[in-house]
Amino acid sequence: MAEPVALKLTQKDFKSDQEVRWCPGCGDYAILAAVQSFMPELQIPRERTVFVSGIGCSSRFPYYMNTYGMHSIHGRAPAIATGLSVSRPDLSVWVVTGDGDALSIGGNHLIHALRRNVNLKILLFNNRIYGLTKGQYSPTSELGKITKSTPVGSADSPFNPLSLALGAEATFVARTIDSDRKHLQSVLRAAAEHQGSAFVEIYQNCNIFNDGAFETLKDPSTRDEYLIRLEHGQPITFGADGQRCVVHPPGGFGLEVRETASVDPADIVVHDATVAEPAYAFALSRLPGLDLRNTPIGVLRQVQRSSYDERVREQTETAKAKATGSPEDQLAGLLTSGDTWTIL
Amino acid sequence: MTKQVRQLDRVVIRFAGDSGDGMQLTGDRFTSETAQLGNDISTLPNFPAEIRAPAGTLPGVSSFQVHFADYDILTPGDAPNVLVAMNPAALKANIGDLPRGADIIVNTDEFTKRNLTKVGYAVNPLEDGSLDGYALHPVALTSMTIGALADHAVSKKDAERAKNMFALGLLSWMYSRPYESTIRFLERKFASRPELVAANIAAFKAGWNFGETTEDFGVRYEVKPARMRPGTYRNITGNQALSLGLVAAGVRSGLPVFLGAYPITPASDILHELSKHKRFGVTTMQAEDEIAAIGAALGASYGGSLGITTTSGPGVALKGETISLAVALELPLVIIDVQRAGPSTGMPTKTEQADLNMALFGRHGEAPVAVVAPRSPSDCFFAALEASRIALTYRTPVILLSDNYVANGSEPWLLPEVDSLPDLRVEFATEPNGDDGKTFLPYLRDPVTMARPWAIPGTPGLEHRIGGLEKADKTGDISYDPANHDFMVRTRAARIEGIPVPDLEVEDPDGDARTLVLGWGSTFGPIGAACRALRQRGLPIAQAHLRHLSPMPANLGEVLKAYDRVVIPEMNLGQLAHVVRARYLVDAIPYNQVSGLPFTAAKLESMLEEVVKNG
Ligand SMILES: Cc1ncc(C[n+]2csc(CCOP(=O)(O)OP(=O)(O)O)c2C)c(N)n1
Ligand code: SF4
Ligand SMILES: [Mg+2]
């Protein structure tokens, strides 16, 4: 077979002719630009790329991508994308969803797609608010959040999306931030390479209804103190001068943050995204406090497990390999199977 | 002793026993023997609602009714001529359906004090004279079976369990059935345990010989083969036929079939059946819920498969939003609703036709879909093909309304030639369709079918976005333009109304009827049987039966207006009647039964007689 010719694709090729309609300043713009400029790198023809979304501001995303796309219904994108992915292994299928879309109305489909390990790249734009419906609290809003629907503060505790995904034993779990294009693209790259479900939480600013939700993670004066940038194979240290680190305290079952100077360097956890047991990545996902201090970003978990798509296809292929004759002949055989009798 | 042989034209037998007594299997075997003989047949099982109700109780009674005749029949029969009751519960649960004079064969071994008390018999009904009006045959089924198997190397339990074969042997003798197929069946079923093959065959023969020798059964009956159209037949249930129809739709369209389903009675058997046919390129997915099931099916349709979802009423309710999406996306999708008695969980193992309104109207917005309904178990095969044909040709969701009665009932099916099945091949869009030769217009319609192009992902140059937001005509771009929305709503309605469906045929042999009885779906059998009976008595009546409920046949209005009276029997509170009255301004008379049971022909006959005679 001849060496495939490199596809000459640019960011522009992935822009559709539709006018982008998010509020000026919305974090969704930055994510769109990052995705559009990253896609050419994958060398997947546009026609083999499909974006499926639910409903929400974030879910408008497919309209702006010059690929195949479906803007479906609230919360159901993972289910629809599962049918597409399983029946069309030749496609690269991406799901774009919001915190309400994925974790409230569509929570069931999300966890089941992850448990099955369907070959989907799932991008969850988490702005910790319902944007499209104009500002109600969401399943990721902090307890006590004051919104239109919770004038004296919300009474329910939020989900940690990464913990949830890990609880469903997702094989790829990562987090990134709308404003950090380089980091965002590095995570997308790893997600795209993953076989099976890749779950990526993207912190996204809704400057209209929840402005500054992630400001401490973005502001140059605080971000180094707040963010833990995970690198596979590297000791987990952070802070402007690496003055903090993550250790596994003896006797405990979680991970903890310590002053680097106070621990034996050998005790600093070396990040390994490939640890089979999800408990390690889960412990990482539990590090941030309510104020977002100690927020890990990057790939928490990346393990290999056969995908639902592969397993289903293998069953079909095995059955087909055993069959003989044309489909019509096989059908005739099927119709006449069992007890038959003939009347002359 | 030579026994008298009497000819009968038809017989209805009901096998009834505890869920553990193997009555479904016994009924199936008797049906198969009867099919081999060439009678026309119609069967109906009646399962207990509980999976394992306590043994010997009324809720644990399971039965199987088989009607066979030397002419073509339409229903499993109103009332049994013969009841086989394996225990007091089976007798008690079924005696009410028996006409006086019917034969009752009871397993006397089970009529113990304890078992009688369990079902509330203070005195033994076999002894208190309460069954005097019937031809009672007390048979010690269990002990005779155990006795017959004394020399067999099987446990007492296995010997006792073979009593259903004893009963089958006796009934097979009584009705002169050929039993080779049962012997073959037992050899297959117990292939790995030869001792059980031998024991069950011995029990069967003991039952047969008992009939031959005992004085209690003085008469043996024969029912001659029916005159049926030449060809190869098999006995088939509605759910089986429907499954095969879906497989056939895949073969005839050349498309992969994708079934998304969530288990629910009485639809689960379709999922079970289709999951066996992977070699035909059928993928089945047991989804996390009904919404995911239809979502996955729609996703597969988007990718170029024949997307199907199977469920019952509660599931259709959950799928409504996705059906609306499919209406907006204009993609093929087949939704199968095997109806059961509602509302809510209702009576999951009982039949009803009360989802018609939901199928026609049960979505938000103006969301028209095509709706078809099978009329008999074997017709489910053709209804499945027709639903697939409409979905694929007209790029629309199609709801198929089966119900528990046709789904679990069975009848002989004259197997069709594969070549005679409709050609369902479709073409995917491959080229831009705009005037400039470069643009792709995803909502530019075919002038004949009004279907939009099916441009599946992977097709270079046709990249486009679709979604639930209102779309501009032709371009499919998001549009809030008032005139466009009005146009699109009317277009979606017109394209369903415009689907050509065959004209409604009226059966009125003498052409002098003034009353028309109109039905849809599974009531075809009882309505047909009632009409025949009336005609035999010289009362003219016309029958018409709808397969297509949306769109309705173009000549329906004309047909309705040609009669003085129109009667519409339904197993709901008048849902079709409502539509017919609204659409055609015809003063149709609804006749309704919502007992969870199919109409009996007799009941329809007396109701229709009233109408015919008194107007
Ligand atoms: C069945 C249904 N229920 C409710 C809505 C209204 N709705 C649309 S988007 C949305 C929440 C969106 O929040 P999120 O998923 O966080 O997306 P964002 O707009 O924040 O990107 C809701 C409640 C709907 N479209 N469909
Ligand atoms: S409401 Fe918020 S999330 Fe939605 S577009 Fe505006 S800024 Fe973005
Ligand atoms: Mg949100």
Side-chain angles (χ1 to χ4, degrees):
Chain A
M1 209 168 75
E3 191 66 11
V5 189
L7 292 168
K8 286 202 203 77
L9 288 168
T10 64
Q11 172 169 8
K12 225 175 114 237
D13 293 315
F14 285 92
K15 288 187 178 165
S16 78
D17 59 357
Q18 299 294 298
E19 188 191 333
V20 185
R21 296 263 183 96
W22 289 306
C23 307
C26 175
D28 290 348
Y29 282 97
I31 305 173
L32 177 64
V35 173
Q36 285 170 335
S37 77
F38 157 77
M39 292 311 283
E41 198 185 292
L42 290 180
Q43 288 288 300
I44 297 173
R46 286 185 303 131
E47 71 270 13
R48 289 216 274 113
T49 303
V50 187
F51 280 83
V52 182
S53 65
I55 298 291
C57 295
S58 36
S59 288
R60 291 292 184 103
F61 198 93
Y63 286 116
Y64 309 134
M65 293 295 299
N66 193 9
T67 60
Y68 281 87
M70 186 196 292
H71 179 225
S72 74
I73 44 180
H74 202 20
R76 316 303 171 195
I80 294 170
T82 295
L84 180 62
S85 176
V86 170
S87 60
R88 291 292 305 275
D90 55 321
L91 302 176
S92 169
V93 184
W94 298 68
V95 168
V96 175
T97 179
D99 40 318
D101 195 63
L103 302 174
S104 204
I105 193 165
N108 200 28
H109 308 309
L110 177 72
I111 56 175
H112 286 278
L114 296 176
R115 132 183 113 76
R116 291 190 180 104
N117 201 27
V118 185
N119 201 9
L120 302 174
K121 316 300 152 217
I122 302 173
L123 311 182
L124 190 162
F125 296 14
N126 183 5
N127 53 15
R128 308 187 76 177
I129 201 81
Y130 283 4
L132 192 71
T133 46
K134 302 193 174 152
Q136 301 82 5
Y137 79 113
S138 89
T140 57
S141 298
E142 54 281 18
L143 180 67
K145 179 96 175 168
I146 295 190
T147 70
K148 279 183 195 151
S149 61
T150 51
V152 292
S154 68
D156 33 333
S157 311
F159 265 139
N160 175 327
L162 299 190
S163 302
L164 183 77
L166 288 161
E169 296 190 40
T171 53
F172 181 101
V173 177
R175 177 189 283 138
T176 184
I177 303 182
D178 56 1
S179 54
D180 188 343
R181 176 180 293 205
K182 203 163 147 256
H183 189 268
L184 205 164
Q185 292 187 333
S186 74
V187 167
L188 291 180
R189 196 169 295 125
E193 279 165 12
H194 183 69
Q195 282 300 310
S197 299
F199 178 78
V200 179
E201 179 187 25
I202 307 175
Y203 279 163
Q204 173 245 326
N205 193 40
C206 168
N207 54 311
I208 302 296
F209 297 112
N210 201 18
D211 196 22
F214 307 106
E215 200 46 37
T216 46
L217 305 179
K218 299 178 174 185
D219 184 334
S221 68
T222 52
R223 66 182 177 204
D224 292 337
E225 296 302 313
Y226 277 66
L227 277 182
I228 305 176
R229 291 174 176 274
L230 297 171
E231 301 270 2
H232 180 67
Q234 297 298 315
I236 310 179
T237 60
F238 64 108
D241 307 309
Q243 66 274 45
R244 267 192 283 285
C245 65
V246 172
V247 297
H248 184 166
F253 41 70
L255 296 172
E256 276 175 18
V257 170
R258 295 278 164 81
E259 294 297 320
T260 308
S262 71
V263 302
D264 179 345
D267 289 342
I268 300 177
V269 173
V270 175
H271 180 49
D272 181 1
T274 65
V275 174
E277 183 46 54
Y280 162 67
F282 189 84
L284 281 175
S285 78
R286 308 309 295 170
L287 285 173
L290 290 175
D291 61 356
L292 297 184
R293 248 174 227 278
N294 309 330
T295 295
I297 61 169
V299 180
L300 282 78
R301 173 173 162 90
Q302 181 169 21
V303 298
Q304 288 304 315
R305 172 153 56 93
S306 64
S307 68
Y308 178 68
D309 317 45
E310 288 169 315
R311 293 187 296 261
V312 169
R313 218 170 314 127
E314 195 193 303
Q315 292 185 351
T316 313
E317 293 311 320
T318 309
K320 277 186 175 170
K322 281 193 211 139
T324 50
S326 69
E328 275 77 11
D329 289 346
Q330 287 183 54
L331 177 60
L334 177 63
L335 296 184
T336 52
S337 62
D339 280 342
T340 61
W341 68 97
T342 301
I343 290 180
L344 301 171
Chain B
M1 174 177 132
T2 39
K3 304 236 173 172
Q4 188 192 341
V5 175
R6 206 177 290 163
Q7 298 293 326
L8 295 175
D9 61 349
R10 58 177 284 262
V11 179
V12 180
I13 302 178
R14 188 181 291 177
F15 295 92
D18 197 62
S19 329
D21 287 340
M23 290 297 97
Q24 302 301 326
L25 187 137
T26 311
D28 260 348
R29 290 322 314 157
F30 190 88
T31 304
S32 181
E33 294 175 359
T34 298
Q36 300 293 333
L37 194 143
N39 293 137
D40 196 13
I41 315 166
S42 175
T43 76
L44 188 68
N46 192 356
F47 310 109
E50 285 80 14
I51 306 295
R52 294 270 182 272
T57 61
L58 288 170
V61 175
S62 166
S63 70
F64 186 101
Q65 182 160 314
V66 47
H67 181 189
F68 54 103
D70 66 5
Y71 58 93
D72 81 303
I73 49 173
L74 295 168
T75 75
D78 290 357
N81 310 111
V82 184
L83 172 69
V84 178
M86 301 296 279
N87 65 9
L91 177 68
K92 183 150 196 185
N94 292 288
I95 188 77
D97 296 340
L98 245 50
R100 294 268 143 177
D103 286 291
I104 305 177
I105 298 168
V106 291
N107 178 10
T108 50
D109 290 327
E110 287 291 319
F111 281 66
T112 60
K113 184 129 192 38
R114 188 155 165 268
N115 286 351
L116 291 165
T117 324
K118 243 189 228 173
V119 294
Y121 277 127
V123 278
N124 190 342
L126 306 183
E127 292 161 3
D128 68 357
S130 61
L131 300 176
D132 282 354
Y134 302 91
L136 183 66
H137 308 275
V139 182
L141 273 166
T142 312
S143 45
M144 281 203 283
T145 307
I146 294 174
L149 300 185
D151 298 337
H152 283 253
V154 290
S155 66
K156 184 157 178 239
K157 195 159 162 237
D158 281 334
E160 196 235 292
R161 286 177 64 172
K163 65 181 181 292
N164 62 336
M165 286 300 119
F166 187 104
L168 180 64
L170 174 59
L171 270 290
S172 300
W173 171 82
M174 261 178 90
Y175 291 96
S176 320
R177 306 286 99 181
Y179 56 75
E180 294 74 19
S181 70
T182 293
I183 306 293
R184 263 183 280 128
F185 167 84
L186 291 171
E187 284 165 356
R188 247 180 312 163
K189 181 172 163 76
F190 299 113
S192 60
R193 298 191 55 190
E195 76 280 13
L196 288 184
V197 177
N200 278 281
I201 293 177
F204 180 92
K205 294 207 163 141
W208 180 286
N209 294 336
F210 174 73
E212 189 98 13
T213 47
T214 181
E215 308 218 329
D216 190 27
F217 293 95
V219 198
R220 207 177 164 188
Y221 302 94
E222 275 180 6
V223 179
K224 290 261 155 67
R227 199 170 307 156
M228 305 205 357
R229 276 164 53 210
T232 301
Y233 286 78
R234 79 188 263 195
N235 197 54
I236 197 140
T237 69
N239 272 347
Q240 279 173 332
L242 204 146
S243 308
L244 296 183
L246 296 173
V247 173
V251 171
R252 298 297 287 171
S253 62
L255 298 177
V257 169
F258 185 99
L259 172 74
Y262 189 75
I264 185 168
T265 303
S268 303
D269 282 342
I270 306 172
L271 167 63
H272 304 162
E273 182 67 30
L274 283 177
S275 63
K276 293 186 211 153
H277 302 308
K278 295 185 167 54
R279 69 190 156 107
F280 289 95
V282 175
T283 301
T284 55
M285 175 182 176
Q286 181 178 318
E288 57 270 24
D289 60 25
E290 280 86 351
I291 303 175
I294 189 173
L298 181 60
S301 277
Y302 175 55
S305 292
L306 171 58
I308 300 166
T309 190
T310 49
T311 188
S312 187
V316 180
L318 286 172
K319 293 174 196 292
E321 191 188 12
T322 312
I323 301 176
S324 278
L325 175 64
V327 168
L329 298 183
E330 303 188 20
L331 284 171
L333 187 63
V334 176
I335 301 115
I336 287 158
D337 176 1
V338 186
Q339 300 165 95
R340 61 190 218 181
S344 189
T345 310
M347 302 194 288
T349 55
K350 303 291 166 193
T351 199
E352 207 156 278
Q353 294 182 298
D355 294 349
L356 177 61
N357 277 345
M358 176 162 66
L360 293 174
F361 312 117
R363 288 164 296 282
H364 58 288
E366 294 285 359
V369 301
V371 180
V372 301
R375 56 167 63 179
S376 74
S378 66
D379 188 44
C380 288
F381 178 85
F382 300 102
L385 276 167
E386 176 65 352
S388 305
R389 182 190 72 83
I390 295 175
L392 292 169
T393 314
Y394 301 95
R395 314 271 146 79
T396 174
V398 180
I399 298 180
L400 184 156
L401 290 175
S402 174
D403 66 35
N404 188 61
Y405 178 54
V406 276
N408 284 316
S410 81
E411 65 181 357
W413 176 31
L414 174 58
L415 296 172
E417 292 294 332
V418 170
D419 292 347
S420 71
L421 303 178
D423 180 352
L424 302 183
R425 275 173 300 182
V426 284
E427 276 182 29
F428 296 129
T430 52
E431 303 288 335
N433 56 358
D435 285 339
D436 60 2
K438 283 185 288 193
T439 329
F440 177 60
L441 300 169
Y443 279 77
L444 183 67
R445 297 173 188 287
D446 180 285
V448 177
T449 61
M450 285 176 86
R452 70 181 196 87
W454 194 359
I456 62 170
T459 317
L462 305 190
E463 295 83 1
H464 66 285
R465 275 64 56 192
I466 53 176
L469 286 169
E470 183 59 286
K471 285 153 288 286
D473 181 35
K474 300 188 182 68
T475 64
D477 291 343
I478 300 171
S479 169
Y480 282 84
D481 178 62
N484 177 72
H485 179 57
D486 188 89
F487 175 79
M488 291 297 276
V489 167
R490 290 174 196 277
T491 303
R492 283 187 287 261
R495 71 189 209 92
I496 298 300
E497 274 306 308
I499 295 170
V501 302
D503 267 353
L504 185 65
E505 285 173 25
V506 181
E507 193 189 318
D508 178 9
D510 299 324
D512 55 351
R514 299 313 316 143
T515 301
L516 172 75
V517 49
L518 178 71
W520 68 277
S522 78
T523 51
F524 176 76
I527 294 176
C531 290
R532 279 187 195 172
L534 285 175
R535 287 180 203 129
Q536 269 165 17
R537 293 165 46 204
L539 296 171
I541 187 146
Q543 183 191 4
H545 209 76
L546 288 168
R547 141 139 16 265
H548 295 92
L549 294 142
S550 169
M552 290 185 162
N555 69 334
L556 177 57
E558 227 175 278
V559 167
L560 293 168
K561 297 211 161 85
Y563 293 87
D564 297 342
R565 290 167 297 271
V566 176
V567 186
I568 305 184
E570 291 177 87
M571 295 187 289
N572 60 40
L573 290 184
Q575 300 187 6
L576 175 66
H578 200 101
V579 174
V580 164
R581 293 173 71 105
R583 278 182 74 123
Y584 301 101
L585 297 178
V586 166
D587 191 12
I589 308 164
Y591 182 73
N592 308 108
Q593 170 179 309
V594 274
S595 57
L597 297 171
F599 283 114
T600 60
K603 189 170 172 185
L604 290 176
E605 184 186 338
S606 64
M607 178 275 293
L608 290 172
E609 181 178 354
E610 274 298 291
V611 179
V612 172
K613 283 186 176 156
N614 307 325

